[in-house]
Structure formats: C-alpha cells, structure tokens
Amino acid sequence: LLYFTATETLKSIVIIDPQWLVDAMSKVIRDGKVHVNLNQLEGTKRLVQNGSRAFRIWERKLLEKMSPRKSLDRGNSSSAFERKEFKRLGLENDLLQTFQSAVASRDFLEFVWTETHADFFIELMKTTMLLSEWKSTKETKYYLIPSLLRNNFTGRVNGCRCVFDFSSNYLPNGVFPRLTCLVVRLGSSSNRTTSTEPKVYRNFSSTEVEPGHVISLLESQINQTITLFTQDEKHARNSFSIVASMLYKINSDVMNNGLFFRVYFENPKIIGNFIREDVAKRTKLFPWFSSCELAIPTEVNVDTFLAEI
C-alpha cells in the first residue's frame, strides 16, 4: 500500500498495487536506447522530405514500440492505448521531443498516463524532483525531465568555481538530474521575467534564476564532483547557498541522508587554487564569504521554495 501526502493531488489516490505505479512511471522514465531506436532520428527530416516508404515503415515501428499496450486501469481493455491514437491526436512530434530533448508536453503526458491520472503523476514527479515546469504556450504546458537528457556538454565554462566533491564516497546517478530539476524549477517560479532559456545537458545546466543571476553546474562522474560556476562575483554567495540547500534537500528527501560531500572554493586571485570550506569561511574568502559591498541580496527565497516541494 502506497499513499503520498505531500500535496492535495497526491492525497487523492491510494495505490494498492505498486506495479501499477511502476508500469505508469516507466512509460516516461525509460531508456530511449532500449525502448526507441533514437539513432534513426537523425535521418528523419530527409525521409520526411522525400515522403519515402522507408519513413512510413520507420514511423510505424517507432509507434509500435512506444504505444503502451496495457491500460493504467488493469484489466480495462476498453481504455487500452493503440498505435492509431498517436496519429489521430497528432502527438508524433511530442513523442520524439520527449525522448530527444527531454521536454514533454502536457498533451503527451495526458495521453500516456490518461487525463484522469496525469495530474497525479506530474505532481509525484515534481515531489520526487524528477520533473519541472519548462515553458508554456497558449496550447499546452511543457515539462523538463532531466533523466531523459542524452547529450553531454563538452564546451568550456568560465567563472570562479565552487566544487562539491563526493569522491570520499560516491556521486549517485540520480543526484545531478534532480539538482538540475530544482534549479530549473526555481527559475521558472521566479516572479520576475528572466531573459534567457535554461541550457540543459546530461552533465551540465545553466539557468537564470532571476534577472542577471545565472547558476551554471557541471557534473563529472570521473572525478565524482559537481562544480558551480559564477560569472558574476555579486551572486557568488547566493549561488552557493542555493545549490548547497538543494543538495541537502536531495540528501534528506531522496538519498536517506546517505550523501556525503566536501566543498572547496576557488581563490580568484590564484586560478586553480582551491580552499576547504572551513578555511574559506574563516578567512572570508572573496567572493564567496566576504562582506564585500559588491554582494547584492537575492529576491529568491530558496528555503520557502524547497519547503513547498
């Protein structure tokens, strides 16, 4: 028996069959390399433009792989999904966008989860930090699902660095996607309009959480680290506070307090020189802990934000 009490929406359903929950979540949280041959997507535009028979065959196979064969209501065959429903509802592009860009439309989620249960699963994924609001149009809402991101960032990131080092134990795979989810969600919840859309990769995210305040994060599974970059010294202290609070939230709510890390801060006067957190605090290392007049207060109340999740 499973019963979630975090929100009123979650309280509305009591789960007596955990497999029902697993089956439903796996319709969205899945490995595209296993369930969909995403490598074939590169040639899709050419096939579409040619109107080729090869594309029609590819499309049919894709939809057959993706179409859920069982209803969320077990044994109710009348509500079972069929391949023709994708075409009838015009959701082919939504399907591809979900597994190519990790951005799912509300319409797509209502289709795979049914309109009756979509609110419950969206709320559940928000609460477990697996999904965040992305953007909305007049037609529908969109949601980011970081665990579906496929591409790694290989560029260069500038800025003074703060390193969260998990190498004394290990950095679990689910931590960085959840951290990305929280930062993007914080940015989308801001009352003030930001000017740039978040950049998200499997191992990197850059999000404007309020006008002019950008939080950039890079994960290294090899080094077992997550690095925070700050391009604007005025926001360094606030950026660290936000990211640290989010990691503590993930640790307590998801990782059962089994997440261990040390924090090191780069000395901007000596590039590549990192100082332990306790030393940085004691020496009031600029720009992370100094009382410099450059530091500006943030309008983001991260404690209130996290308490509502």
Side-chain angles (χ1 to χ4, degrees):
L1 186 70
L2 296 174
Y3 183 55
F4 302 98
T5 60
T7 68
E8 291 302 315
T9 300
L10 294 179
K11 290 179 181 178
S12 67
I13 292 181
V14 178
I15 300 172
I16 60 175
D17 182 1
Q19 190 61 45
W20 175 84
L21 179 63
V22 173
D23 291 343
M25 296 290 283
S26 66
K27 295 180 190 301
V28 174
I29 304 295
R30 56 172 62 199
D31 187 349
K33 293 180 180 179
V34 175
H35 296 94
V36 184
N37 188 0
L38 292 175
N39 292 327
Q40 295 183 23
L41 297 179
E42 301 301 326
T44 301
K45 286 186 178 179
R46 177 173 52 80
L47 293 173
V48 172
Q49 290 170 351
N50 294 340
S52 67
R53 180 173 178 273
F55 171 75
R56 292 193 295 273
I57 294 174
W58 170 85
E59 179 187 48
R60 185 179 72 248
K61 289 182 178 179
L62 173 64
L63 294 174
E64 285 174 348
K65 289 180 180 179
M66 288 302 304
S67 297
R69 293 302 180 184
K70 294 190 292 184
S71 165
L72 289 179
D73 300 313
R74 289 191 167 201
N76 185 357
S77 59
S78 64
S79 60
F81 301 130
E82 297 179 0
R83 175 175 59 85
K84 64 182 180 181
E85 292 187 77
F86 278 104
K87 285 190 174 182
R88 180 175 64 82
L89 297 175
L91 292 175
E92 294 95 337
N93 290 336
D94 298 69
L95 174 72
L96 299 181
Q97 179 177 263
T98 300
F99 293 98
Q100 280 185 295
S101 305
V103 175
S105 69
R106 170 82 189 201
D107 293 336
F108 178 76
L109 296 178
E110 286 186 355
F111 177 66
V112 297
W113 284 331
T114 75
E115 188 173 353
T116 302
H117 298 113
D119 283 334
F120 172 82
F121 287 112
I122 289 173
E123 200 71 17
L124 179 61
M125 288 184 66
K126 283 183 181 179
T127 302
T128 53
M129 306 172 225
L130 295 172
L131 171 150
S132 68
E133 292 86 355
W134 180 249
K135 60 182 178 180
S136 297
T137 65
K138 291 182 179 179
E139 290 76 24
T140 189
K141 293 181 178 179
Y142 291 89
Y143 302 92
L144 175 69
I145 306 173
S147 60
L148 296 181
L149 289 164
R150 301 171 55 232
N151 297 325
N152 283 317
F153 179 79
T154 56
R156 180 181 177 84
V157 188
N158 297 317
C160 195
R161 293 170 288 178
C162 166
V163 178
F164 297 87
D165 183 359
F166 298 81
S167 62
S168 62
N169 192 7
Y170 74 105
L171 175 57
N173 289 331
V175 171
F176 190 75
R178 285 183 165 89
L179 183 59
T180 296
C181 202
L182 288 176
V183 176
V184 170
R185 185 171 173 182
L186 178 64
S188 67
S189 68
S190 175
N191 293 326
R192 300 177 63 184
T193 303
T194 55
S195 59
T196 58
E197 186 175 273
K199 298 177 182 177
V200 289
Y201 294 80
R202 187 175 183 179
N203 65 333
F204 174 77
S205 69
S206 182
T207 307
E208 189 177 17
V209 295
E210 58 183 338
H213 183 181
V214 177
I215 291 180
S216 298
L217 298 164
L218 179 67
E219 178 194 39
S220 171
Q221 278 292 334
I222 294 176
N223 297 325
Q224 297 285 281
T225 59
I226 294 175
T227 302
L228 162 67
F229 294 82
T230 178
Q231 288 81 32
D232 192 334
E233 294 172 342
K234 294 180 293 186
H235 295 295
R237 184 193 302 177
N238 292 331
S239 294
F240 164 66
S241 177
I242 288 170
V243 174
S245 296
M246 289 178 173
L247 285 172
Y248 290 130
K249 174 74 172 179
I250 294 170
N251 191 25
S252 63
D253 288 14
V254 180
M255 299 299 169
N256 197 28
N257 293 315
L259 204 58
F260 301 97
F261 57 87
R262 298 187 178 95
V263 186
Y264 299 90
F265 298 89
E266 185 173 32
N267 184 346
K269 296 181 180 179
I270 309 175
I271 303 302
N273 176 246
F274 288 88
I275 300 173
R276 294 197 322 263
E277 181 178 11
D278 58 331
V279 177
K281 286 182 178 179
R282 187 173 66 250
T283 60
K284 295 184 178 180
L285 179 68
F286 174 85
W288 306 100
F289 297 103
S290 67
S291 56
C292 176
E293 293 180 358
L294 283 176
I296 59 175
T298 179
E299 294 188 11
V300 174
N301 191 327
V302 69
D303 292 331
T304 300
F305 167 76
L306 294 175
E308 294 174 350
I309 295 178

